[in-house]
Short mmCIF file of all heavy atoms in Angstrom, two decimals:
data_model
loop_
_atom_site.label_atom_id
_atom_site.label_comp_id
_atom_site.label_asym_id
_atom_site.label_seq_id
_atom_site.Cartn_x
_atom_site.Cartn_y
_atom_site.Cartn_z
N GLY A 456 0.82 -1.20 0.00
CA GLY A 456 0.00 0.00 0.00
C GLY A 456 0.85 1.25 0.00
O GLY A 456 2.06 1.22 -0.30
N THR A 457 0.25 2.38 0.35
CA THR A 457 0.96 3.65 0.32
C THR A 457 0.31 4.62 1.29
O THR A 457 -0.78 4.37 1.80
CB THR A 457 0.95 4.23 -1.11
OG1 THR A 457 1.86 5.33 -1.20
CG2 THR A 457 -0.44 4.69 -1.52
N VAL A 458 0.99 5.73 1.54
CA VAL A 458 0.46 6.77 2.40
C VAL A 458 -0.38 7.73 1.56
O VAL A 458 0.10 8.27 0.55
CB VAL A 458 1.59 7.54 3.11
CG1 VAL A 458 1.01 8.66 3.97
CG2 VAL A 458 2.43 6.60 3.97
N SER A 459 -1.60 7.97 1.96
CA SER A 459 -2.47 8.91 1.25
C SER A 459 -1.95 10.33 1.40
O SER A 459 -1.75 10.80 2.52
CB SER A 459 -3.90 8.83 1.80
OG SER A 459 -4.67 9.93 1.34
N PRO A 460 -1.73 11.04 0.28
CA PRO A 460 -1.31 12.45 0.39
C PRO A 460 -2.37 13.33 1.04
O PRO A 460 -2.06 14.37 1.60
CB PRO A 460 -1.09 12.87 -1.07
CG PRO A 460 -0.96 11.61 -1.84
CD PRO A 460 -1.80 10.60 -1.13
N ARG A 461 -3.62 12.89 0.99
CA ARG A 461 -4.71 13.70 1.53
C ARG A 461 -4.85 13.55 3.04
O ARG A 461 -5.02 14.53 3.76
CB ARG A 461 -6.02 13.31 0.84
CG ARG A 461 -7.23 14.16 1.29
CD ARG A 461 -8.46 13.79 0.48
NE ARG A 461 -8.86 12.40 0.70
CZ ARG A 461 -9.63 11.99 1.70
NH1 ARG A 461 -10.07 12.87 2.60
NH2 ARG A 461 -9.97 10.73 1.82
N THR A 462 -4.77 12.31 3.54
CA THR A 462 -5.04 12.06 4.95
C THR A 462 -3.81 11.70 5.78
O THR A 462 -3.85 11.78 7.01
CB THR A 462 -6.05 10.91 5.10
OG1 THR A 462 -5.43 9.69 4.65
CG2 THR A 462 -7.31 11.17 4.29
N GLY A 463 -2.73 11.27 5.13
CA GLY A 463 -1.57 10.77 5.86
C GLY A 463 -1.74 9.37 6.39
O GLY A 463 -0.86 8.86 7.09
N LEU A 464 -2.86 8.73 6.04
CA LEU A 464 -3.13 7.37 6.49
C LEU A 464 -2.76 6.37 5.41
O LEU A 464 -2.72 6.70 4.22
CB LEU A 464 -4.61 7.21 6.86
CG LEU A 464 -5.16 8.20 7.90
CD1 LEU A 464 -6.65 7.92 8.14
CD2 LEU A 464 -4.38 8.13 9.20
N MET A 465 -2.52 5.13 5.81
CA MET A 465 -2.22 4.08 4.84
C MET A 465 -3.48 3.74 4.02
O MET A 465 -4.60 3.76 4.54
CB MET A 465 -1.73 2.82 5.55
CG MET A 465 -0.33 2.95 6.14
SD MET A 465 0.95 3.13 4.88
CE MET A 465 0.83 1.54 4.05
N LYS A 466 -3.27 3.42 2.75
CA LYS A 466 -4.35 2.97 1.89
C LYS A 466 -3.82 1.90 0.95
O LYS A 466 -2.61 1.76 0.73
CB LYS A 466 -4.93 4.13 1.07
CG LYS A 466 -3.95 4.75 0.06
CD LYS A 466 -4.63 5.84 -0.75
CE LYS A 466 -3.66 6.43 -1.78
NZ LYS A 466 -4.32 7.47 -2.62
N ASN A 467 -4.73 1.09 0.43
CA ASN A 467 -4.45 0.13 -0.64
C ASN A 467 -3.52 -1.01 -0.24
O ASN A 467 -2.94 -1.67 -1.10
CB ASN A 467 -3.86 0.82 -1.88
CG ASN A 467 -4.79 1.87 -2.46
OD1 ASN A 467 -5.98 1.87 -2.17
ND2 ASN A 467 -4.27 2.75 -3.28
N ALA A 468 -3.37 -1.28 1.05
CA ALA A 468 -2.49 -2.37 1.49
C ALA A 468 -3.27 -3.68 1.52
O ALA A 468 -4.35 -3.75 2.13
CB ALA A 468 -1.91 -2.08 2.86
N ASN A 469 -2.71 -4.72 0.89
CA ASN A 469 -3.37 -6.03 1.00
C ASN A 469 -3.20 -6.62 2.40
O ASN A 469 -3.93 -7.52 2.79
CB ASN A 469 -2.87 -6.99 -0.09
CG ASN A 469 -1.41 -7.31 0.02
OD1 ASN A 469 -0.66 -6.58 0.67
ND2 ASN A 469 -0.98 -8.38 -0.61
N SER A 470 -2.24 -6.12 3.17
CA SER A 470 -2.20 -6.38 4.62
C SER A 470 -3.16 -5.38 5.26
O SER A 470 -2.77 -4.30 5.70
CB SER A 470 -0.78 -6.19 5.16
OG SER A 470 0.12 -7.10 4.57
N VAL A 471 -4.44 -5.74 5.25
CA VAL A 471 -5.51 -4.75 5.49
C VAL A 471 -5.46 -4.14 6.89
O VAL A 471 -6.07 -3.09 7.12
CB VAL A 471 -6.90 -5.37 5.21
CG1 VAL A 471 -7.04 -5.71 3.74
CG2 VAL A 471 -7.14 -6.61 6.07
N VAL A 472 -4.75 -4.76 7.82
CA VAL A 472 -4.65 -4.19 9.17
C VAL A 472 -3.94 -2.83 9.14
O VAL A 472 -4.10 -2.01 10.05
CB VAL A 472 -3.90 -5.17 10.11
CG1 VAL A 472 -2.43 -5.26 9.76
CG2 VAL A 472 -4.09 -4.75 11.57
N LEU A 473 -3.19 -2.56 8.07
CA LEU A 473 -2.47 -1.28 7.96
C LEU A 473 -3.36 -0.16 7.44
O LEU A 473 -3.07 1.02 7.68
CB LEU A 473 -1.26 -1.43 7.02
CG LEU A 473 -0.22 -2.49 7.39
CD1 LEU A 473 0.85 -2.55 6.32
CD2 LEU A 473 0.40 -2.19 8.75
N ASN A 474 -4.42 -0.50 6.70
CA ASN A 474 -5.22 0.52 6.05
C ASN A 474 -5.91 1.43 7.07
O ASN A 474 -6.36 0.99 8.12
CB ASN A 474 -6.26 -0.12 5.13
CG ASN A 474 -5.62 -0.72 3.90
OD1 ASN A 474 -4.60 -0.24 3.41
ND2 ASN A 474 -6.22 -1.79 3.38
N ASP A 475 -5.96 2.72 6.70
CA ASP A 475 -6.58 3.76 7.53
C ASP A 475 -5.84 3.97 8.85
O ASP A 475 -6.42 4.49 9.82
CB ASP A 475 -8.06 3.44 7.80
CG ASP A 475 -8.87 3.35 6.52
OD1 ASP A 475 -8.67 4.22 5.64
OD2 ASP A 475 -9.68 2.42 6.37
N ARG A 476 -4.58 3.60 8.89
CA ARG A 476 -3.76 3.80 10.08
C ARG A 476 -2.63 4.79 9.76
O ARG A 476 -2.08 4.79 8.65
CB ARG A 476 -3.12 2.49 10.52
CG ARG A 476 -4.11 1.40 10.85
CD ARG A 476 -4.65 1.53 12.27
NE ARG A 476 -5.30 0.30 12.69
CZ ARG A 476 -5.40 -0.10 13.94
NH1 ARG A 476 -4.87 0.62 14.90
NH2 ARG A 476 -6.03 -1.22 14.25
N PRO A 477 -2.23 5.61 10.72
CA PRO A 477 -1.13 6.57 10.50
C PRO A 477 0.23 5.91 10.71
O PRO A 477 1.00 6.28 11.61
CB PRO A 477 -1.41 7.65 11.55
CG PRO A 477 -2.04 6.90 12.68
CD PRO A 477 -2.87 5.80 12.03
N LEU A 478 0.54 4.93 9.88
CA LEU A 478 1.74 4.12 10.09
C LEU A 478 3.01 4.96 10.12
O LEU A 478 3.85 4.80 11.00
CB LEU A 478 1.83 3.05 9.00
CG LEU A 478 3.05 2.12 9.07
CD1 LEU A 478 3.02 1.29 10.34
CD2 LEU A 478 3.12 1.21 7.84
N LYS A 479 3.15 5.86 9.16
CA LYS A 479 4.36 6.69 9.12
C LYS A 479 4.47 7.54 10.38
O LYS A 479 5.53 7.58 11.02
CB LYS A 479 4.33 7.58 7.88
CG LYS A 479 5.60 8.40 7.66
CD LYS A 479 5.53 9.12 6.31
CE LYS A 479 6.86 9.80 5.98
NZ LYS A 479 7.13 10.95 6.85
N GLY A 480 3.39 8.21 10.76
CA GLY A 480 3.43 9.05 11.96
C GLY A 480 3.66 8.25 13.22
O GLY A 480 4.42 8.67 14.12
N ASP A 481 3.02 7.08 13.32
CA ASP A 481 3.19 6.26 14.52
C ASP A 481 4.63 5.76 14.64
O ASP A 481 5.19 5.72 15.76
CB ASP A 481 2.22 5.07 14.49
CG ASP A 481 0.80 5.48 14.80
OD1 ASP A 481 0.59 6.60 15.31
OD2 ASP A 481 -0.12 4.68 14.54
N LEU A 482 5.22 5.37 13.51
CA LEU A 482 6.59 4.87 13.56
C LEU A 482 7.56 6.02 13.87
O LEU A 482 8.52 5.83 14.64
CB LEU A 482 6.95 4.18 12.25
CG LEU A 482 8.26 3.39 12.25
CD1 LEU A 482 8.25 2.31 13.32
CD2 LEU A 482 8.51 2.77 10.87
N GLU A 483 7.32 7.18 13.29
CA GLU A 483 8.18 8.33 13.59
C GLU A 483 8.10 8.71 15.06
O GLU A 483 9.13 9.03 15.68
CB GLU A 483 7.77 9.51 12.71
CG GLU A 483 8.17 9.34 11.26
CD GLU A 483 7.72 10.48 10.37
OE1 GLU A 483 6.75 11.17 10.74
OE2 GLU A 483 8.34 10.67 9.29
N GLN A 484 6.90 8.64 15.64
CA GLN A 484 6.77 8.93 17.07
C GLN A 484 7.52 7.90 17.91
O GLN A 484 8.18 8.24 18.90
CB GLN A 484 5.29 8.96 17.45
CG GLN A 484 5.04 9.34 18.90
CD GLN A 484 3.56 9.45 19.22
OE1 GLN A 484 2.72 8.90 18.53
NE2 GLN A 484 3.24 10.17 20.29
N ARG A 485 7.43 6.65 17.50
CA ARG A 485 8.11 5.57 18.23
C ARG A 485 9.63 5.73 18.16
O ARG A 485 10.33 5.53 19.17
CB ARG A 485 7.68 4.23 17.64
CG ARG A 485 8.36 3.01 18.26
CD ARG A 485 7.90 2.77 19.71
NE ARG A 485 8.47 1.54 20.22
CZ ARG A 485 7.87 0.35 20.14
NH1 ARG A 485 6.66 0.24 19.58
NH2 ARG A 485 8.44 -0.72 20.63
N LEU A 486 10.14 6.12 16.99
CA LEU A 486 11.59 6.20 16.80
C LEU A 486 12.16 7.56 17.20
O LEU A 486 13.38 7.68 17.40
CB LEU A 486 11.93 5.93 15.33
CG LEU A 486 11.57 4.54 14.79
CD1 LEU A 486 11.89 4.47 13.30
CD2 LEU A 486 12.28 3.43 15.55
N GLY A 487 11.30 8.58 17.28
CA GLY A 487 11.77 9.91 17.62
C GLY A 487 12.51 10.59 16.50
O GLY A 487 13.37 11.46 16.74
N ARG A 488 12.20 10.25 15.26
CA ARG A 488 12.82 10.89 14.10
C ARG A 488 11.97 10.63 12.87
O ARG A 488 11.11 9.77 12.88
CB ARG A 488 14.25 10.39 13.88
CG ARG A 488 14.35 8.98 13.34
CD ARG A 488 15.66 8.33 13.68
NE ARG A 488 15.55 7.63 14.95
CZ ARG A 488 16.37 6.65 15.32
NH1 ARG A 488 17.38 6.31 14.53
NH2 ARG A 488 16.21 6.03 16.47
N ARG A 489 12.26 11.36 11.79
CA ARG A 489 11.50 11.21 10.56
C ARG A 489 11.98 9.98 9.78
O ARG A 489 13.15 9.59 9.87
CB ARG A 489 11.63 12.45 9.68
CG ARG A 489 11.00 13.69 10.31
CD ARG A 489 11.10 14.89 9.38
NE ARG A 489 10.37 14.67 8.13
CZ ARG A 489 9.05 14.82 8.01
NH1 ARG A 489 8.32 15.18 9.05
NH2 ARG A 489 8.46 14.63 6.85
#
C-alpha cells in the first residue's frame, strides 16, 4: 500500500490491518525521528 497524500493514512495495502492507520506518523513517534 501507500500513504495517502490527503489524509496521511495508509491505503491500498493487502495487509488490510495497515489501512486507515497513521503508520508513518506512529513509527516516527516511536523512533523519535523522521
Side-chain angles (χ1 to χ4, degrees):
T457 191
V458 177
S459 167
R461 183 175 63 85
T462 67
L464 305 179
M465 289 294 295
K466 65 177 182 178
N467 300 342
N469 63 341
S470 298
V471 294
V472 71
L473 302 177
N474 289 329
D475 299 317
R476 301 277 196 153
L478 179 64
K479 185 173 187 291
D481 285 345
L482 191 58
E483 287 177 337
Q484 183 176 21
R485 177 69 175 269
L486 298 176
R488 73 204 90 159
R489 294 182 63 80

